[in-house]
Amino acid sequence: VIQVHPGEKLPVDGQVISGSSSVDESMVTGEPMPVLKQEGDSLVGATVNGTGSLRYKATQVGQDTVLAQIIRLVKTAQTSKAPIQKLADRISSIFIPGVILVALWTFVAWWAFGPMPRGVYGIVAAVSVLVIACPCALGLATPLSVTIGTGRGARAGVLYRSAEALQGAHDVDTVVLDKTGTITQGRPELADALSVQGLDDDLLIKAAASAESNSEHPLAQAIVQAAKDRNLELVPAKDFDSVTGAGIDATLPSGSFKSMTENSRNEENTLHVLVGNRRLLEGKGIDLGNEKADQSGRQSLLETARSWEDQGRTTIFVAIDGRLAGVLAVTDQVKAGSKQAIHDMNERGIQTIMLTGDNQGTAEQVGGQVGVTRVVAQIHPEDKAGIVKALQAQGHKVAMIGDGINDAPALAQADLGMAIGTGTDVAIESADVTLVSGDLNAAVKAIDLSAATMRNIHQNLWFAFGYNGLGIPIAAGVLYPFIGLLLNPMIAGAAMAFSSLSVVLNANRLRHTPLKARPVKEAKPIDMDALTRDLSISTHQEHNQEKGNEMGLFHHHDDMQQDQAATDKVTDPVCGMSIDPSTAAAKRDYQGKTYYFCSQNCVDTFDADPQKVLNK
């Protein structure tokens, strides 16, 4: 436990135990305004405490702190080679032998046709050609801009994992956004509760919170927090099952819910509780249309839920022992900078799509608030990577922005994965760019900074080739027959140094050059009909596969084993994506076990520290 006094730097990362103070996190997030920290909030090492006093528990030290990870990422990016650098290297490998040949032919030409003393003139001209053509400027043109660009990004809260990510960001023409935690704050709050006739709202919330108490989903935490705020005592679940993308299936002891069990036909002293979206309850055969609310018998719960959805609320249905018990409304406020960020993307000609497992009404309401006109709602987490792949098949350069474990496969699939820095470690490891502050405006900065860096690199290359294009003929003596000018090797050396200096000065302009909006060239419209059709086909195939598996129970045991072996999939240990081993990007053998990976990013993360990946 560490005590931090006013004005002191925080030595390591941690979580506040007691006290309250504003902390200056500008060195990490790039945001100038101090952030209020209270009990339970996380702290980042090397940030500066304000006027208050804090006691906090260290959670990350040494190489595991956020600052150490940022330094490591920036170093990796600055030492990596961008694709354009590889092109410059290939040009240099041809350019140098070419210059040597030009110098030799210069000497031969002076020896054959030059005035006396021919040999002296020939040697002077050949040496001048070699000196002035020294490719120092060509070698500095790309890595210097990459180093300055990644450094400026780090100061603005944008961490590029590699130079390739820095180069590729400006080519993006489509941005796919997760809703919860990316566009919205990711801190949902229970806004309303409505129970069926004869059931108290507090009991409804208590049952839902008890069932959700083992879940880490933000919506679950909102219900649990609402129960705590109402001083409701939660009951440990006897059985708990998380249905991905749908909700919770739990069994609770009935002792604390006497009013619920009076009319129940369950003789096992337990309550079977379902908490989730409409799809979960309908899949269990529960009728949602007939139950009336306790407060207003004129409107069914389903109609009330739909009216809440039209207001942009997320609706969560609760069923107890096979009957609808009530509906909860949860709200998640949109981040302050999301609307401006979407506007800036649209201004640049970048098309945006929002993905969410939430209902259509809430999704459209949130999309309307921030200016996203393309919304795909009620999708499973595994569908996100499929949508990114479908967009790529349409010819788009796709960036995915997300924060959760369920976004990791899509982040790995996208041409450019951007992870919210306040999200999960798995998402960050799967991404090419990390937005430290969690503000979507940082994504716009990442794209603009990429464009500015690439312009700077192109300018540097033009400086380098321009000097050589002009200098080599002059050094060879092409002006001697006309004005009697023969370049001295010392002057050639000064000209060569000046070419390198011009590249260095131009690259340093990138530190302070204002980032300008550059519209995407020839952006191809998104075919939403084809996208949703592909998604529907995929969902239909999954449904048929589930039915086939059920029917397969009646098949011969050997046939079932063969079918299972043919459809076996493995899990990428880094991002958690289910993949077919035969189509995996790579595999690694570690401690007697083989691991398969969906992308090169995941392979690199595993290779860096296999034990850390397997122990997370």
Side-chain angles (χ1 to χ4, degrees):
V1 177
I2 302 166
Q3 177 78 39
V4 183
H5 298 289
E8 291 183 342
K9 278 190 177 181
L10 279 64
V12 294
D13 297 355
Q15 188 174 36
V16 178
I17 297 174
S18 63
S20 175
S21 180
S22 294
V23 177
D24 181 1
E25 295 184 333
S26 58
M27 65 155 295
V28 176
T29 64
E31 299 296 330
M33 292 298 294
V35 181
L36 179 64
K37 298 292 183 179
Q38 297 174 326
E39 183 179 346
D41 291 339
S42 59
L43 298 170
V44 179
T47 54
V48 181
N49 185 29
T51 56
S53 181
L54 294 170
R55 290 179 72 248
Y56 75 99
K57 182 175 71 173
T59 56
Q60 303 285 349
V61 298
Q63 293 301 308
D64 294 328
T65 62
V66 170
L67 181 62
Q69 292 176 35
I70 290 173
I71 293 171
R72 192 158 55 245
L73 281 172
V74 172
K75 281 184 177 179
T76 301
Q78 290 180 341
T79 55
S80 62
K81 282 190 177 182
I84 195 170
Q85 173 64 37
K86 296 172 184 176
L87 174 63
D89 291 344
R90 286 198 297 272
I91 293 173
S92 295
S93 65
I94 300 170
F95 177 76
I96 293 172
V99 168
I100 294 173
L101 286 176
V102 170
L104 290 173
W105 280 108
T106 298
F107 177 79
V108 170
W110 277 96
W111 181 266
F113 306 107
M116 297 298 293
R118 296 174 180 176
V120 174
Y121 280 127
I123 291 173
V124 169
V127 170
S128 295
V129 168
L130 291 173
V131 171
I132 205 170
C134 182
C136 295
L138 189 61
L140 290 170
T142 300
L144 195 57
S145 293
V146 167
T147 300
I148 294 171
T150 52
R152 180 172 179 177
R155 291 196 301 274
V158 177
L159 301 180
Y160 297 95
R161 185 175 290 274
S162 65
E164 186 175 358
L166 176 62
Q167 177 175 338
H170 80 290
D171 290 327
V172 168
D173 62 20
T174 303
V175 173
V176 178
L177 304 120
D178 175 48
K179 180 178 78 72
T180 304
T182 302
I183 292 178
T184 64
Q185 293 178 357
R187 294 191 296 272
E189 297 176 351
L190 184 66
D192 217 332
L194 200 58
S195 56
V196 295
Q197 292 178 358
L199 181 63
D200 182 64
D201 286 352
D202 281 353
L203 275 177
L204 175 71
I205 295 171
K206 179 178 178 179
S210 298
E212 294 274 22
S213 59
N214 292 324
S215 174
E216 296 181 357
H217 194 281
L219 295 179
Q221 294 302 308
I223 298 172
V224 172
Q225 186 60 48
K228 291 179 179 178
D229 292 343
R230 297 186 181 209
N231 297 318
L232 301 177
E233 184 180 352
L234 302 187
V235 180
K238 286 187 174 182
D239 192 18
F240 173 87
D241 182 28
S242 176
V243 184
T244 304
I248 296 296
D249 186 340
T251 303
L252 304 176
S254 61
S256 300
F257 303 94
K258 291 181 180 179
S259 62
M260 290 185 179
T261 57
E262 289 175 357
N263 299 321
S264 175
R265 296 184 297 271
N266 192 334
E267 299 178 357
E268 299 180 1
N269 295 321
T270 59
L271 289 178
H272 180 216
V273 181
L274 293 172
V275 184
N277 56 27
R278 192 179 309 168
R279 187 170 60 240
L280 173 67
L281 272 65
E282 289 176 342
K284 299 290 184 179
I286 297 173
D287 184 14
L288 304 182
N290 295 325
E291 295 291 350
K292 301 293 183 181
D294 190 28
Q295 291 90 333
S296 174
R298 296 186 302 274
Q299 191 177 36
S300 71
L301 285 175
L302 184 58
E303 290 170 337
T304 302
R306 285 171 177 163
S307 68
W308 284 348
E309 290 170 3
D310 292 339
Q311 298 169 23
R313 297 178 174 185
T314 299
T315 53
I316 301 171
F317 291 88
V318 182
I320 298 174
D321 286 341
R323 291 187 60 184
L324 182 63
V327 62
L328 307 174
V330 174
T331 58
D332 188 7
Q333 298 298 319
V334 171
K335 289 180 180 177
S338 294
K339 184 175 182 179
Q340 183 62 45
I342 301 299
H343 174 268
D344 290 344
M345 290 180 189
N346 293 335
E347 191 178 54
R348 288 156 177 75
I350 298 173
Q351 303 167 98
T352 53
I353 300 179
M354 186 180 78
L355 306 182
T356 178
D358 216 332
N359 60 76
Q360 188 71 31
T362 301
E364 290 179 354
Q365 180 74 16
V366 173
Q369 286 183 44
V370 297
V372 178
T373 56
R374 303 173 187 87
V375 173
V376 182
Q378 293 180 311
I379 61 170
H380 293 286
E382 57 269 22
D383 293 331
K384 293 181 180 180
I387 289 174
V388 171
K389 195 171 184 178
L391 287 168
Q392 291 170 328
Q394 291 183 18
H396 297 286
K397 289 289 184 181
V398 183
M400 170 70 193
I401 307 178
D403 70 319
I405 293 174
N406 59 345
D407 299 321
L411 289 168
Q413 175 65 44
D415 298 291
L416 183 75
M418 294 187 182
I420 301 297
T422 53
T424 62
D425 291 341
V426 174
I428 292 171
E429 291 291 345
S430 303
D432 303 298
V433 179
T434 302
L435 311 177
V436 179
S437 67
D439 186 355
L440 275 183
N441 286 295
V444 180
K445 289 180 184 176
I447 294 170
D448 288 348
L449 182 57
S450 169
T453 302
M454 292 310 299
R455 283 197 305 274
N456 194 265
I457 289 174
H458 290 147
Q459 292 164 0
N460 289 344
L461 291 174
W462 275 110
F463 274 122
F465 284 116
Y467 270 103
N468 286 323
L470 291 173
I472 289 175
I474 295 173
V478 73
L479 296 179
Y480 186 82
F482 306 102
I483 59 175
L485 176 64
L486 183 61
L487 207 61
N488 188 300
M490 290 187 294
I491 303 298
M496 181 272 294
F498 187 73
S499 70
S500 298
L501 181 61
S502 66
V503 167
V504 171
L505 291 174
N506 186 62
N508 273 278
R509 284 195 316 109
L510 187 58
R511 296 182 188 274
H512 309 292
T513 301
L515 300 180
K516 298 180 180 178
R518 299 282 175 170
V520 175
K521 296 179 180 178
E522 300 178 359
K524 184 180 179 182
I526 296 173
D527 188 346
M528 287 299 294
D529 291 337
L531 192 66
T532 51
R533 186 169 58 249
D534 291 342
L535 181 61
S536 299
I537 292 171
S538 173
T539 306
H540 180 67
Q541 287 175 342
E542 289 176 8
H543 177 67
N544 286 344
Q545 185 178 3
E546 290 174 4
K547 287 183 64 178
N549 289 341
E550 292 172 3
M551 293 174 65
L553 294 174
F554 299 98
H555 290 176
H556 193 275
H557 182 67
D558 291 342
D559 291 339
M560 188 172 67
Q561 284 186 327
Q562 291 174 3
D563 291 341
Q564 185 178 355
T567 58
D568 273 351
K569 288 192 174 184
V570 294
T571 301
D572 185 323
V574 176
C575 68
M577 183 177 181
S578 295
I579 54 176
D580 187 339
S582 62
T583 59
K587 67 177 183 178
R588 292 288 187 272
D589 293 319
Y590 183 73
Q591 294 183 346
K593 188 174 179 181
T594 303
Y595 297 94
Y596 296 85
F597 303 90
C598 66
S599 68
Q600 190 59 43
N601 270 349
C602 291
V603 177
D604 294 340
T605 301
F606 183 84
D607 289 343
D609 194 344
Q611 201 61 43
K612 182 179 178 181
V613 170
L614 298 177
N615 289 338
K616 69 187 177 185

